[in-house]
């Protein structure tokens, strides 16, 4: 019988879902008849650009993550309110999901990385996680005593997971009983550098940088800094004031790795999927700090060892001249990024 796989994505940003889709794409290539159902909050265009038709979607969300107004700003009060609301209905939510999974006869669950997914495991249906951090780690490092019980609650739920595919740039992940290290998980580019540049109207030899700050973007845009470098072309993935050397891309037109393939420099926030894809390409990076989010330090440390990397505060990025465009940042050798294939093979091995 074809595999039946259920995916649960954390309700935080886009990266958790896009790396689940990377695994789903590799699994579909191995077993074309597999039934794959994704639970995620992301817009349809993000799913469509990463995976062809045949993926089913449901809207069940098993966590909150952190509530943010943009990719750099956390709303602690809203986060606490939503987690408490989730806890209040967690028993009914888990019961309903367990009944649905049993009714549909799913073989296995892959979760990235909602704590409550640990409650879905049973003797017939393992639940594996995939991540470089757990939400217990994030909540434990927030300087607010109200998050300490949430860290303990999350860690206890993670102990119900059958195992974890631990990605590079990881924290200890001590709450998980069985841990399987895997390489970087990234999506594959459908098009090469020349094709993407041609479609975007960028000359093959023009120095080009991509500015991308995740699904929520950043509140301020550095229009003055962009204007100071007319010899550079800047590609942006969110709305920005028009400028002669600025190219805006429509949501859903490209996979992020395709845009990264086409540029000479990435200007990013420290989000896992973006960092992983830069490493897979050996692309130089300017990375903005992300105060209050503990994963950022893990990513910046790992990225700095593998890539030519400049780290700036958001304030410095907006206010100072961009001397990082002087040619001092160069490409490094690409990093092995076969994690999606490895996870897909492991999932099949678990249930066969």
């Amino acid at each position: 019988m074809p595999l039946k796989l259920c995916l649960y994505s954390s309700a935080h940003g886009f990266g958790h879902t896009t790396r689940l889709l990377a695994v789903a794409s590799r699994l579909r290539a191995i077993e074309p008849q597999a039934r794959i159902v994704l639970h995620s909050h992301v817009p349809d265009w993000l799913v469509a650009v990463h995976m062809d038709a045949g993926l089913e979607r449901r809207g069940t969300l098993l966590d909150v993550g952190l509530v943010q107004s943009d990719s750099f700003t956390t709303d602690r009060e809203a986060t606490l309110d939503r987690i408490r609301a989730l806890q209040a209905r967690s028993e009914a939510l888990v019961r309903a999901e367990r009944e649905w999974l049993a009714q549909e006869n799913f073989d296995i669950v892959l979760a990235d990385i909602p704590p409550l997914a640990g409650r879905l495991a049973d003797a017939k249906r393992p639940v594996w996680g995939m991540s470089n951090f757990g939400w217990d780690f994030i909540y434990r490092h927030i300087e607010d005593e109200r998050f300490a019980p949430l860290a303990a609650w999350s860690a206890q739920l993670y102990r119900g997971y059958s195992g974890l595919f631990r990605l590079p740039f990881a924290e200890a992940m001590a709450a998980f009983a069985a841990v399987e290290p895997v390489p970087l998980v990234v999506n594959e580019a459908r098009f090469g550098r020349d094709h993407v540049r041609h479609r975007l109207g960028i000359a093959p030899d023009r120095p080009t940088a991509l500015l991308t700050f995740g699904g929520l973007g950043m509140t301020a845009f550095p229009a003055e800094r962009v204007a100071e470098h007319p010899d550079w072309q800047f590609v942006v993935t969110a709305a920005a004031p028009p400028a002669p050397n600025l190219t805006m891309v429509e949501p859903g037109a490209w996979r992020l790795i395709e845009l990264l393939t086409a540029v000479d420099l990435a200007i990013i926030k420290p989000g896992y999927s973006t960092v992983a894809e830069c490493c897979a390409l050996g692309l130089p990076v300017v990375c903005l700090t992300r105060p209050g989010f503990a994963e950022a330090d893990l990513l910046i440390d790992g990225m700095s060892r593998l890539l030519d990397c400049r780290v700036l505060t958001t304030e410095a990025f907006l206010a100072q001249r961009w001397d990082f465009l002087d040619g001092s940042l160069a490409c490094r050798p690409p990093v092995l990024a076969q994690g999606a294939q490895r996870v897909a093979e492991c999932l099949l091995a678990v249930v066969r």
Side-chain angles (χ1 to χ4, degrees):
M1 294 291 290
L3 178 76
K4 292 183 179 181
L5 169 67
C6 194
L7 307 172
Y8 288 89
S9 176
S10 192
H12 178 92
F14 288 176
H16 298 274
T17 297
T18 56
R19 60 191 181 198
L20 284 172
L21 291 172
V23 172
S25 294
R26 296 313 308 153
L27 197 147
R28 179 61 57 78
I30 298 170
E31 189 162 317
Q33 301 306 312
R35 181 188 178 192
I36 305 175
V37 178
L38 170 68
H39 298 252
S40 174
H41 70 297
V42 301
D44 290 341
W45 63 259
L46 187 71
V47 175
V49 77
H50 284 94
M51 194 165 179
D52 295 330
L55 182 78
E56 300 175 43
R57 290 195 66 178
R58 289 180 84 233
T60 305
L61 296 179
L62 296 179
D63 76 353
V64 172
L66 293 176
V67 179
Q68 297 178 277
S69 56
D70 63 25
S71 292
F72 299 89
T73 308
T74 298
D75 186 332
R76 293 185 183 181
E77 298 301 328
T79 299
L80 290 167
D81 288 345
R82 292 190 190 180
I83 294 176
R84 288 164 181 158
L86 176 68
Q87 289 177 317
R89 59 186 178 87
S90 61
E91 290 300 323
L93 180 62
V94 167
R95 184 168 57 252
E97 284 304 295
R98 288 176 64 89
E99 290 174 356
W100 177 77
L101 288 165
Q103 179 182 333
E104 297 294 322
N105 199 28
F106 276 91
D107 299 301
I108 193 167
V109 168
L110 178 64
D112 187 347
I113 183 84
L116 272 177
R119 295 279 308 279
L120 303 181
D122 60 27
K124 295 182 179 179
R125 181 185 55 255
V127 173
W128 277 74
M130 178 177 69
S131 188
N132 66 313
F133 73 85
W135 286 109
D136 59 323
F137 172 76
I138 301 298
Y139 297 151
R140 190 164 58 248
H141 284 81
I142 294 176
E143 295 181 354
D144 185 328
E145 62 182 12
R146 295 175 297 174
F147 282 87
L150 301 181
W153 178 70
S154 299
Q156 180 61 38
L157 290 168
Y158 283 141
R159 294 185 182 98
Y161 273 66
S162 310
L164 171 79
F165 298 112
R166 185 178 64 204
L167 301 171
F169 317 136
E171 49 109 348
M173 313 294 283
F176 296 87
V179 174
E180 177 73 23
V182 296
L184 291 172
V185 169
V186 302
N187 286 278
E188 296 182 354
R190 301 163 299 175
F191 312 106
R193 177 183 176 93
D194 292 343
H195 177 91
V196 178
R197 282 195 169 227
H198 175 74
R199 289 268 303 275
L200 294 177
I202 300 172
D205 58 349
R206 182 172 174 82
T208 303
L210 174 69
L211 288 87
T212 183
F213 303 110
L216 295 175
M218 65 187 304
T219 302
F221 183 80
E224 182 179 352
R225 304 285 81 81
V226 167
E228 289 171 347
H229 297 276
D231 53 327
W232 276 76
Q233 190 70 22
F234 297 93
V235 179
V236 295
T237 58
N245 60 335
L246 199 65
T247 300
M248 285 183 282
V249 296
E250 292 295 323
W254 303 98
R255 297 177 182 178
L256 180 62
I257 197 166
E258 293 161 354
L259 297 175
L260 292 168
T261 299
V263 302
D264 306 296
L265 175 72
I267 303 173
I268 67 171
K269 76 173 178 74
Y272 186 90
S273 291
T274 308
V275 168
E277 292 180 355
C278 289
C279 289
L281 298 170
L283 190 67
V285 165
V286 173
C287 184
L288 306 190
T289 56
R290 196 177 177 188
F293 195 70
E295 185 205 16
D297 293 337
L298 301 171
L299 295 174
I300 290 172
D301 178 67
M303 179 173 47
S304 298
R305 288 184 278 107
L306 297 171
L307 301 175
D308 257 8
C309 180
R310 181 81 63 85
V311 180
L312 297 173
T313 66
T314 302
E315 293 75 18
F317 174 70
L318 294 172
Q320 298 176 8
R321 291 186 64 86
W322 289 353
D323 61 356
F324 52 78
L325 298 178
D326 62 2
S328 59
L329 295 176
C331 289
R332 294 268 190 94
V335 178
L336 179 69
Q338 298 176 340
Q341 180 74 21
R342 174 66 177 151
V343 171
E345 293 171 350
C346 287
L347 290 173
L348 287 168
V350 166
V351 299
R352 295 287 158 83

